[in-house]
Amino acid sequence: MGKLYRSSWQVCLAWMAIVGLVFFQAGAASGADIRKSSKETCVLSLEGEIVSGDFSRLVEIAAKEFLGVDGESSARDTICLNSPGGNVTEGVKLAEFLYKNGVGTVIDEGAECYSMCAIMFMMGIAQGPEVTFVNRKLHVTGKLGFHRPFLALKEESLISTKALAVAHDVALEDMSKIMLLANNLVPWSNSTMMRPDLIQEMLGHIGNDFFYIDTVEKAGRFEIELIGLPVQSAPPEERAYYACENSFHWQVGLMKDPVDVRKFTKPVTQDESVVKLLKTADGTEYYSVTSSDAGYSEAGCVIAVNGNGLQGCGYNGMYNVLLGQGACTVDNFADRSWGINQLASYRPGLTLEELGGAATSADATSPRSIVGAKASATCAVFSKTGEREIEPCEATLNINVIVDNRRSDRYEFVWPTGNKTILARDGDFFTINGKPSIPYADDGYTLCALNSETRNRFCFKL
């Protein structure tokens, strides 16, 4: 895990030392194209370089098209952004308008938002008399990049010291306004609209060297909702593991080496496993997760997985952060847990490019994916001592689902007793109930697998 970041006021001092009037330098432009959007994802759209006068035009069209609070919040008032950035002074006014008027921001499929546009995007919010929340969405195929502002001067231009002093004062004023926006608290949170480490990363990138929001971890850390995500078909044990780790680390900072469940592929006993099934009740599976930070201090969670729903509670002593109301058990889970965003169930190092590829249509020659299909089956277990159990069972199939650019298959079998056997494939790695397994063919059965820990063989026939 990286070092904790400097406080906002220290970052502010660093930023205030910059002399800069634009985030993007280009030829003459007539201004951004601001109009009513034809897309369902947003009410208005802004495309092109930001120049003086764009603020007035946005205010004018917003007065006609935005509905304001609909009784609960202003979440329906949204603007799609597709811009390389531009004039800071004008961009600051646009960003202030978005934040103060509760306008949500969207970077839609294939759109790009850099520099001053990125600052505007981070001000996306919804407001209401009783509900207020961050409202900014990035499509997995969109681009969002931050870099340091700079003074736009032509090569070898001469400029008077008085003019430079004026430019310096204007830049400082604009940076001060952006910092005030950035340091506004995220509603119902101790976080800020732009976290200090995001500002720090932005200041460390110059010119065309952008700091991109290009991984699940960066989106989660900086509280950016991803849209266009593929179907999450990872096993519940894997989702529980990432939900615990991400929920802790996203409160602290970016990890130097993001956690990866694939590092825990060696056969282990139930007592050694970092993810343990504690209880199954009413379709919900409760898992105990030991964080990679555990050791000298307590670090772990209880995570409940019910379909696509996630809830959890826990404590990480290394960073003194909580999930929900802190450490908990299955018995007090309902009182101490809270909901977890689905994004937290993904591998943090997964890139948006990988997600975007998985979200697109498969090649016509690829095998057809099967998601959530139900079927009657025959299940069999053959023990290493020669005992066997053969029973009718009910199967739920998720076959040929592409996750993280790897084929993923998941077969969930429910025996007459209500017990479950889960056979899963992640790329070339197979598991039975989370334990490493070896698949093999057997006449009369669709597929068999050997549990490398118990040495029992499981087979099924559809």
Side-chain angles (χ1 to χ4, degrees), residues 90-282:
E90 200 72 7
V92 165
K93 292 191 291 184
L94 289 166
E96 287 178 334
F97 177 84
L98 299 179
Y99 182 80
K100 291 179 179 179
N101 290 275
V103 179
T105 52
V106 180
I107 301 173
D108 211 353
E109 185 174 3
E112 299 179 350
C113 182
Y114 303 116
S115 308
M116 193 61 232
C117 176
I119 303 295
M120 291 164 52
F121 171 79
M122 294 302 293
M123 294 306 119
I125 198 168
Q127 298 175 342
E130 298 181 359
V131 178
T132 305
F133 52 91
V134 166
N135 188 19
R136 50 201 182 202
K137 299 178 174 67
L138 169 63
H139 195 278
V140 292
T141 63
K143 301 291 184 182
L144 175 61
F146 298 82
H147 71 172
R148 181 192 303 179
F150 60 94
L151 183 64
L153 295 175
K154 294 182 180 180
E155 188 176 355
E156 298 182 356
S157 293
L158 295 178
I159 159 176
S160 72
T161 55
K162 290 184 178 180
L164 185 58
V166 171
H168 179 265
D169 288 342
V170 171
L172 291 180
E173 184 178 351
D174 286 340
M175 296 307 104
S176 177
K177 290 178 180 178
I178 291 177
M179 284 306 304
L180 289 173
L181 287 170
N183 285 326
N184 276 307
L185 289 178
V186 170
W188 308 98
S189 168
N190 62 356
S191 178
T192 54
M193 291 297 288
M194 291 181 65
R195 292 184 185 268
D197 47 328
L198 176 56
I199 298 172
Q200 188 167 322
E201 290 288 356
M202 182 178 69
L203 294 177
H205 289 72
I206 304 171
N208 290 326
D209 175 29
F210 288 97
F211 176 73
Y212 290 100
I213 304 300
D214 54 6
T215 65
V216 166
E217 181 189 27
K218 290 178 183 178
R221 165 60 183 164
F222 302 127
E223 299 174 277
I224 297 168
E225 180 182 350
L226 294 183
I227 55 177
L229 288 168
V231 175
Q232 173 61 289
S233 60
E237 299 88 350
E238 181 175 328
R239 282 181 273 166
Y241 173 75
Y242 287 137
C244 178
E245 294 283 37
N246 287 332
S247 294
F248 287 146
H249 292 141
W250 290 353
Q251 297 182 62
V252 181
L254 299 176
M255 291 175 275
K256 288 184 177 180
D257 184 19
V259 293
D260 191 333
V261 75
R262 293 174 296 178
K263 296 177 182 177
F264 303 99
T265 57
K266 64 179 183 179
V268 293
T269 66
Q270 172 72 2
D271 290 337
E272 295 172 333
S273 178
V274 296
V275 183
K276 303 175 187 177
L277 179 62
L278 300 176
K279 176 183 176 182
T280 300
D282 300 324

